Amino acid sequence: MASAPSKLYADDVSLLVVLLDTNPFFWSSSPLPFSKFISHVLAFLNTTLRLHQLNQVVVIATGYNCCDYIYDSSSATNQSSGTGMMPAFCSNLLEKLDKFVTRDEQLEKGGQEGGIASSLLSGSLSMALCYIQRIFRSGPLHPHPRILCLHGSPDGPEQYVAIMNAIFSAQRSMVPIDSCYIGAQNSAFLQQASYITGGVYLKPQILDGLFQYLSTVYATDLHSRGSLQLPKSVGVDFRASCFCHKRTIDMGYICSVCLSIFCMHHKKCSTCGSVFGQAQSDVASTSNKRKTPDT
Amino acid sequence: MPQVRIIARNFMDMVAALPAMKLDHLYQNAFICEAILRSLPPLAKKYVIQMCYIEETIPSKSLEEWVLPDGLSKHRVAIDRLLQLRIFSESFDRSTGTSYRLNPTFQENLQKLITYGAVLPREPMPSSVTARLPSLQELENYAMQKWECFLLQLINSAQAEKMTNISPSMMRIFQRGLLTQRDKEAPRLTESGFQFLLMDTNAQLWYIIREYISNSEEIGVDPADLISFMLELSFHETGQAYNMNTLDEIQRSTIKDLADLGLVKLQQGRKESWFIPTKLATNLSVSLTDSSSRKEGYVMVETNFRLYAYSTSKLHSEILRLFSRVEYQLPNLLVGAITKESLYNAFENGITSEQIISFLQQNAHPRIAERTPSVPENVMDQIRLWETDLNRIEMTPAHFYDEFPSRDVFEAACDFARESGGLLWEDSKKMRLVVNTEVHLQMREHLRRQK
Amino acid sequence: MASGQVVKKAIYKTSIKDPGSPGILKMSGDRLTFRPKDPNPAAELDVNFETIKGYKNTKEGSGKPAWLNLTNDQGRSYIFQFDGGYADMHICRDFVGKAIAKSGETTKAAPAKPDVIITPDEQINREELELRIKLLREDSELQKLHKQLVIGGVLTEAEFWATRKKLLERESSKKQKQRMGFKSAMISDIKPATDGRTNKVTFSLTPEIILQIFAEKPAVHQAFLSFVPSKMTEKDFWTKYFKAEYLHSTKNAIAAAAEAAEDEELAIFLKHDDILAKEARQKIRRVDPTVNMEADQGDDYLHLPDHGIFRDDGKEVSEPQYELYRRTLAHDLNRHAAVVLEGKSVEVELEDTKTVAEALARSKQAELANADSDANADQEQLQRVSRMTEIEDLQAPRDPPLALLCIKDPRDYFDSQQVNAVKILGEDAMGTAKRKSAANPRDAFGSLRKCISEVKSVGLRDPVVSSKDAFQVFNALTRDISRTKYDVGRNSQDSALDMLPNIAKEQLLHHWASIQELLRHFWSSYPITTSYLYAKVTRLKDAMSQIYTQLEEIKKSVPANHKQQVSVLVRQMHQALDSAFQHYDADQQKRSAKSSQRPNGYV
Amino acid sequence: MNNGDGKRLNGEAEEEDEDDLDGEGREAWERTYTDERSWESLQEDESGLLCPVDDKILHHAQYRRRLRSLSSTTTASRIQKGLIRYLYIVIDLSKAAAEMDFKPSRMAVVAKHVEAFVREFFDQNPLSQISLVTIKDGVAHCLTDLGGSPESHVKALMGKLESSGDSSLQNALDLVHGYLTQIPSYGHREVLILYSALSTCDPGDIMHTIQKCKNAKIRCSVIGLSAEIFICKHICQETGGLYSIALDESHFKELILEHAPPPPAIAEFAIASLIKMGFPQRAAENVISICVCHKEAKGGGYTCPRCKARVCELPAECRICGLTLVSSPHLARSYHHLFPIMPFEDVAPTQHKLPKTCFGCQQSLLSSGSRTTLSVTCPKCRRCFCFDCDIYIHESLHNCPGCESLRHSKSVNTAEA
């Protein structure tokens, strides 16, 4: 009421949720050392906060065994004065991060198979979306949220469904998912995520210039995106590939029960084990003979 | 409409207005850089950021590459703003056309800001010295109440009470524009004064500060210094205590004045005295755009012209009184009605219907704020209508003639009046007519001649 | 081909059972004649197409012999079985079709387009023809198509229209096929229109209402059948009826009795409807035994204060002799409800009372007939009733069992994406080869933590990026942007067609349309199950192959500045056609491979 | 008259409200409040100040919703769903639909929410199709043919909003039955009847029609706007559909949205079968071609892999060769129906070992002041969530942040999945 805190909102006030990949197995093999990486990122976060005193930054660590919030500018206290060595918030962010990594290590059971294991992107993504929903709930005036995935680990197949769900949910609530992928080969997950939610997918070529990428592309607030041309995410090929031979197909058979894809006709669905009636192909054609396209 | 609006928009225009020398001087201060950065339009911000580490000049073409066709206007605005603030320096050469580069001092400060964060010239005082500091909430209330009481001063002074505890320097500021004090009689609010009351807090704040600065300019204080000080102040952390000794003479006096407005809270310890910046102070460097500036509202207007205000503040009730008739006042609810009369005296005070409506909309209670329109159409229309009513009737000084000796005299008079284009009204039965004043004299002449 | 004549050897049957008599069927101009081999006057035939109303024919591949069944306006039918099999049959059928159409047009002097030939295969009726003609007249494009394909003999009329059922339906849907149920409004609500001065009242009757009256008041129905027109004219039948109704509405039983006394027809309307009573008794027998039908004084709430129905108020004369003449709303309601529920069973178009009455009578007979015939159906209905009237709390939840699902491994779902998503980005092979991660968990985590603490102690690197890198990156991005922009800028959102000169556009669209049409038929006729389909496909194929050349011509004809676009468009069409041909050839090979042992590709 | 004794005036004010209420002829401004009678929930704090109405009501609403989602998911733990649905929405436009008990009128309300529903439906079932049917004057009309684009349906419906005559369930069912028997066997055949009338005037015995539908495996559901009717209930029981009566607009909305997620597949009906589908590639922007949908030569669009025809958007059925064209995300959209998440369990606010904040959104779970904020926990990962997250997770996100962000729980997950 009378003593209500007066909040001001400009069109470009934004909530930036950063998903930080802290998968140790990736970093230990990455060309860009984590220390460099993090300092780029911190600098970027700092600028974002500086751009508007209402800008809000939330950082979620995407660990190998767990995910957790490691920074939230809205809850954090002293922001203004720094120790002089680095912006104030950085120090307590790093503090949290350190704790997080330790916890992550404790959870480690070992026995991770060859190759770089994936980190729990689906988890952090889901958390980010929950947080953003909370912002939406906070009332008619809220910062414009967007998600930025700073990711390097390869995709984890077992997360696919979860991540897809998250992506669609984000799309529904019109939250763009930007993704900056610093791993070796491109990430199918993030490409789809950015493509579907209208975010930007980039794979920086010059890793030392990471900050420049961040500040040039990802710093753009949603309001300005209306008037700027950002790098178009590469058109993702939406052809599927079959479960049976894993080859890309442009025509295939779908199991009506579990929607798994096959390149040829099977008697029985290998995924859900249901046995098929007669081949649908002729049913289809006869059906569309009946079903008549109006010209 | 009201000039007040235009000037009160943003504090930064003022900075922009400063001469080149001064600007460059200002940019020495990291805080000003940040404040300026915040105040920029979104696109401009982005440009600055992305050029923050680039020392080469960037051809304008490569910037435009990024702009979508319908973003062009925004783009230009941004660039102009940057040039105006001398953050971009323009250079031209044959091959690449015009190209920009970031103002070196600005750039340097920005980089510092990014890597090291901003460092205040003065440390907050250790809690050992300052016994107990007011909590943020208390502080906020303090600021609010301070600010309100200052506004009340304005209103009350209009209601012919004598100004209390406002320093003369502040008083002088009100003299500029808000109040008119004719000799002898009590100071009363000017039109802009009334409009001022209906503005939202930040607009008011900026207005006052601007006035304050330009005022102090007359005393011979360098506005640049003031500005930089105030901006700096806005970055002090609210609720922390800062030692007065860290301030120089001028700053100290300024702080005192600002304390009157509730931007800072002064406290006296055993030996040192210190100031505690409040929320108002931090708002100084806030960038503001139209969609922005929202307080939690408290007013509900119903289609039957009733108006409920859930508020405890005296100020609110006073402001509402400006244009509505208050019917009940509960401890935290005020029930009023918008009536023709109440509006009329608002209009007389030079408040426009638009201001009233926008006020009602800006302060709409959250319950109805999400409805559109938050103020019922019929009320809005009626308010506008009543305003136009005022402009409908026009007065012309005139003279009334009757008791003509004879009809033909009357006829003649009418004709004469008609010829001289001064006939306003005639009643041939009762033999009366009304002519406007210009014609009056000739008319008299004419009638004399008749005799 | 519309005129000329057809002569075929065929067997003429009068009915399906009839072995029939072999002979020569000759169709020419406007009549068809049949000469049996062995002189048999009964089998002699000479029919004018005027009289032929429609016809059926056995479906190809249905296994039945090739029969063509013509029906004339008396509902009599001539069946011909063709020795030449379906080929002959089709020819004749088409001929007949055209003939009918022609005669139809001539009789109906409708300015039909001369080139419209109607050769339907299933039962075909006049208004459908009308419809088609109408459609063609309205839609010039359709007409062009029709001219080209049907008259060009690529498609048969039937095939052409088969794909346009929707269109036809939409047209015909204006006059709807569904029958309406009885209005839930009661007839007794038809209030007489009184003109103030005289006490003469006028009721307005529609066949609708009449039907309802008959349905609800069997007695009246009876009476109508028996009296009109033998004893009285329809008009004064109704006047009597409404007089009675009026008396009822006055609730004056005595008056009613009096009236009834002097006029026995009137009495019929006034007395209770005994037919109803009978039916009621039957019904009671049917009612679910669990329902308690016993009613005693205690159940009669009608006489309790402030009970009963408003419309029955007024002086309740309870003298027994008048009882006969009282009718409560309850009766009406029940009866009405009953009728509405059992629904309308009269198909006839309601035009005049007589027919209505008869139709109703007929249906009544039918009902009675099967009523006593299927007592068992009656029985099962009884069960249903009892089940329905069961108290639901006592019913077991009758949700059917649900199909269970077990997904073995959700990973598959991902693989269906990842593979190509990675591929299309032209990954270098070694990129995809998984790099062995350096260390065991401990070292990995250790190094990570070291990095963090390092940053913590040292702080951020200054400058974060070297000016050189920054500049380089920025330029790279800008270049990237300008490239994408160029691409986007190239395609204008408006249809490229509009830029073409009109003639070219016309031609293109026309060809495109016809290609679409052909392709649609082509694809829809796969897989080829019958020789008929096979023939059709081949026909289509030939037709399509001709189009190629035409397309080429278009390409030449257009002015140079549009060549590029047009050629692009044309290429698309080519592709479409090519794909069709590929499919055709592939199918051919399969079928030849399969049918090497069999004489020809299909059964 | 202004500032006097607060209490007394306070009383006055409330009386004022009272007679405003009782006044029979309601003023416009009164009517705006009659729906939510805000003053009834007015509260005074100890010092007699009017304190803002707290949103208990809202919380209850959420709670109801939550329970609903629970009941729907508990059964759906691991069963097949009708992922490919052919749904006929039958809208009753008999004169009963003009009733004003829903503001402004039943049909207006129905239309409004049908629009919302159609969009939601296609969002959840990208591979499915809808068609609209209206009942009027005792006859059913097919308003739109089965199709996959929400816009066309919505437009058609909005055009056709006038009511008259009786309504006939039988005619409607017959019509729909006629259409539905034509669709391929793998499709789940459904009818959703939005029924305003209290009676049905049928040309024949509706029981037969119902049997017909049952045999044709058509799942009929009814949402009534007036009162429960035996025959509707019967239809739903017979065909395994849902029957529900809307109390008010918001309730109606909830009810209709319940039909958006795919229904569980009934064992005897469920026929697994392979459906031939095409995964067209998006054509390059500069390759123009005439599209089958609107006969315009445009760049972009998708080319049918079988017959090379060009369609503008997916999912669609190729007009030429009848091949169903989809993109892999469309399939992915339906996956969450295959892997539903467990409903969360309540946590008694008394438990002390509760974490302070919601695992999802970091909102504080500590009971604030008088109201105790309820929280729930995931049975698998034992994380606590706030109410809003619970709803969001179950209704939109479809995966549990807790489980997703734990490696070993995940391995469990896949094992039993």
Side-chain angles (χ1 to χ4, degrees), chain D residues 223-271:
Chain D
I223 299 180
L225 281 85
S226 42
E228 177 164 323
I229 313 168
F230 169 78
I231 192 65
C232 297
K233 183 165 185 140
H234 184 63
I235 293 176
C236 299
Q237 278 179 344
E238 286 298 302
T239 61
L242 290 176
Y243 182 41
S244 46
I245 304 293
L247 303 172
D248 55 17
E249 180 164 355
S250 56
H251 186 219
F252 176 75
K253 186 172 180 213
E254 287 183 4
L255 290 178
I256 194 172
L257 284 182
E258 275 176 17
H259 291 270
I266 297 168
E268 54 186 312
F269 289 11
I271 315 165

Side-chain angles (χ1 to χ4, degrees), chain C residues 441-467:
Chain C
R442 177 173 296 93
D443 310 359
F445 279 107
S447 64
L448 189 58
R449 286 230 298 294
K450 212 167 85 281
C451 293
I452 295 175
S453 47
E454 170 194 336
V455 177
K456 247 194 285 179
S457 53
V458 180
L460 308 189
R461 302 160 64 245
D462 183 25
V464 177
V465 287
S466 69
S467 167

Side-chain angles (χ1 to χ4, degrees), chain A residues 69 118 134 169 171-172 280, chain D residues 123 274 333 360-361 392 407:
Chain A
Y69 290 83
S118 61
R134 172 180 155 197
S169 182
Q171 181 194 27
R172 231 174 275 128
Q280 285 304 305
Chain D
D123 182 52
L274 278 178
R333 265 183 193 286
C361 67
Y392 172 67
R407 163 104 18 207

